[in-house]
Amino acid sequence: MYKLPDENGYFGEFGGRFVPKNLETVLDEVKAAFEKYKDDPDFIRELEYYNKYYVGRPSPLYFAEKLTQKMGGAKIYLKREDLNHTGSHKINNTIGQVLLAKRLGKKRIIAETGAGQHGVATATACALFDMECIIYMGEEDTRRQALNVFRMELLGAKVIPVTSGTRTLKDAVDVALQDLIENYETTYYMLGSAVGPDPYPAMVKKFQSIIGFETKQQVLELEDRLPDYIVACVGGGSNAIGLFAPFYDDKDVNIIGVEPAGKGLETGMHAATLSLGKPGVLHGFRSYVLMDEQEEPMPVYSISAGLDYPGVGPEHSFYKESGRAEYVSVTDREALDAFSELSRTEGIIPALESAHAVAYAMKLAKELSSEQVIIVNLSGRGDKDVSQVAEILNKNK
Ligand SMILES: *Cc1c(COP(=O)(O)O)cnc(C)c1O
């Protein structure tokens, strides 16, 4: 596979590390551990054990035959990350990182969470490995996602509401980084997406790439060929890079990332970072960012809390600039329609995040021939979103 990032954590001109000196030392320690263990046979054996017996991998690659017939074009396959323990791809990353933290001798884990999905996956991994677990969550989000707060507490985590700024994900990251600076000797920071300063984007990619490696093997078995398109939703970009990276060198495979257009790109109420942002620095790394004239990160919006972030993983910025991938966007309305369509047609309720990828794939399939193959990453299940969707649909009645 292609060798990115370089030794300083750069994907072309994106990535790197823009942090205070004291954080450099901590990140160097994490990076050294990651470099040491990522190819270590014992580490890999342990990771494979938990992936198989705890997470439930490999996740199936499912031919959505009825959806395919209904769209009347290309074959649509779903990579079923929704079937993982805890209901999304996030657990792939937290199991990998907790095994690393264990080898570093850390007993205290901190993490940020927006919707609470990464918080739940982190609390799960910490319960399994007897780690103290602190989750920072914007106060606004603790109210919107009360059930996930309870879930984390049930799993033994302490959830700390963050009351600075807009009281959402961006502020939770700021506070978590501050905690890390103060407590790095005992503490490991478990970042939830393929973002942040080096080595996090490389590390999260490594643990999520199992999605793409499995997919490649499965599609070769089922179709005896590679897909024409692979499609995933992009928030921070971890489920997407996990699917995309193993296909990077397969130039006949078209790569499409789907961003949230919210109420419409023209309304300003969206989180389409790659579509409408520009290069800048946020949370210690260089990537596309949605910024105002003062170069401050803009307030962002999406129906799906997991896609609601003004930055994006640096590797996606590199894929965009180099032309290897295309980034498109899908509105709340289209995502809601796909949410209902997949539920009715296949009996699969997708996460609202994943519904963005499904929505785009449905449009794309119609334009292609029945010999062509699209693979969609179904990053998570929609149980968490059902009450929110019920509220919206009732209001629109
Ligand atoms: C968190 C989440 C996402 C968005 O995060 P990425 O890092 O972009 O993958 C997408 N889907 C689900 C189900 C999530 O929980």
Side-chain angles (χ1 to χ4, degrees):
M1 203 166 75
Y2 68 109
K3 285 272 176 285
L4 278 180
D6 69 14
E7 66 275 18
N8 295 315
Y10 277 91
F11 305 85
E13 59 172 295
F14 301 105
R17 239 187 228 175
F18 298 81
V19 298
K21 241 304 48 42
N22 41 5
L23 206 50
E24 286 272 357
T25 325
V26 191
L27 294 170
D28 279 338
E29 185 193 36
V30 175
K31 184 166 177 164
F34 175 58
E35 292 299 329
K36 178 171 170 196
Y37 291 113
K38 69 180 167 49
D39 302 314
D40 173 69
D42 278 337
F43 183 85
I44 292 172
R45 209 172 303 124
E46 201 178 358
L47 184 60
E48 283 177 352
Y49 173 85
Y50 286 101
N51 273 338
K52 180 170 177 185
Y53 293 104
Y54 191 72
V55 178
R57 305 204 69 90
S59 68
L61 182 67
Y62 168 70
F63 175 39
E65 193 171 359
K66 288 184 65 206
L67 187 67
T68 297
Q69 279 168 2
K70 202 157 174 191
M71 295 305 121
K75 284 177 133 176
I76 302 172
Y77 279 88
L78 305 174
K79 178 61 172 165
R80 299 290 309 273
E81 292 298 299
D82 60 314
L83 295 177
N84 295 341
H85 179 47
T86 71
S88 81
H89 69 289
K90 295 241 165 52
I91 191 90
N92 302 329
N93 174 44
T94 60
I95 293 289
Q97 287 199 49
V98 83
L99 292 175
L100 207 60
K102 193 176 88 167
R103 280 167 175 75
L104 278 166
K106 303 287 165 112
K107 289 266 178 249
R108 181 175 179 268
I109 305 278
I110 59 172
E112 83 297 339
T113 197
Q117 296 302 105
H118 173 56
V120 169
T122 301
T124 300
C126 289
L128 185 62
F129 288 92
D130 275 328
M131 301 272 189
E132 183 187 351
C133 182
I134 313 281
I135 305 292
Y136 290 104
M137 189 169 185
E139 194 189 34
E140 184 61 30
D141 292 330
T142 60
R143 247 197 309 276
R144 286 192 288 199
Q145 303 287 339
L147 200 58
N148 269 341
V149 173
F150 179 67
R151 241 177 227 133
M152 289 180 255
E153 288 170 350
L154 202 56
L155 292 160
K158 188 167 172 212
V159 179
I160 302 184
V162 173
T163 55
S164 48
T166 56
R167 307 174 181 212
T168 56
L169 178 60
K170 187 198 144 291
D171 312 293
V173 176
D174 289 336
V175 178
L177 285 171
Q178 197 51 44
D179 179 320
L180 182 63
I181 290 171
E182 284 159 23
N183 301 298
Y184 67 89
E185 280 169 12
T186 57
T187 299
Y188 182 88
Y189 181 18
M190 196 174 287
L191 200 49
S193 190
V195 298
D198 179 51
Y200 283 102
M203 191 156 70
V204 175
K205 169 172 77 167
K206 166 84 180 172
F207 295 135
Q208 292 294 359
S209 289
I210 191 164
I211 301 172
F213 284 120
E214 282 178 9
T215 299
K216 199 182 243 190
Q217 196 183 344
Q218 290 166 322
V219 74
L220 287 174
E221 273 165 29
L222 293 163
E223 290 283 338
D224 203 22
R225 61 183 286 247
L226 292 177
D228 298 283
Y229 288 86
I230 52 177
V231 182
C233 66
V234 179
S238 69
N239 88 87
I241 208 67
L243 176 64
F244 297 169
F247 289 94
Y248 186 87
D249 289 328
D250 302 302
K251 299 294 181 199
D252 291 336
V253 176
N254 296 290
I255 300 180
I256 298 186
V258 185
E259 297 193 303
K263 295 189 189 295
L265 294 183
E266 68 291 348
T267 65
M269 292 190 72
H270 60 78
T273 309
L274 288 160
S275 306
L276 293 181
K278 53 189 179 193
V281 172
L282 174 67
H283 291 144
F285 66 105
R286 187 179 157 78
S287 192
Y288 271 67
V289 184
L290 284 166
M291 293 181 291
D292 60 20
E293 288 85 61
Q294 279 75 48
E295 312 260 300
E296 285 296 314
M298 289 194 322
V300 283
Y301 162 84
S302 165
I303 189 173
S304 123
L307 299 180
D308 204 345
Y309 181 64
V312 67
E315 197 160 2
H316 289 291
S317 294
F318 169 74
Y319 277 34
K320 176 189 162 81
E321 295 262 298
S322 64
R324 180 62 190 94
E326 187 189 348
Y327 294 87
V328 298
S329 63
V330 151
T331 63
D332 287 359
R333 172 114 306 277
E334 293 172 304
L336 275 172
D337 288 346
F339 181 90
S340 301
E341 185 70 79
L342 193 67
S343 301
R344 249 183 286 116
T345 310
E346 294 286 349
I348 298 170
I349 303 176
L352 274 175
E353 292 85 359
S354 324
H356 284 74
V358 175
Y360 189 78
M362 282 164 45
K363 287 196 279 192
L364 180 64
K366 291 179 194 164
E367 297 164 11
L368 302 176
S369 80
S370 59
E371 277 85 65
Q372 291 180 288
V373 172
I374 303 174
I375 294 175
V376 184
N377 200 10
L378 205 71
S379 53
R381 67 177 181 229
D383 306 47
K384 68 182 177 61
D385 300 316
V386 167
S387 67
Q388 185 194 350
V389 173
E391 219 170 276
I392 295 166
L393 296 184
N394 283 334
K395 226 185 287 170
N396 294 349
K397 254 185 197 154

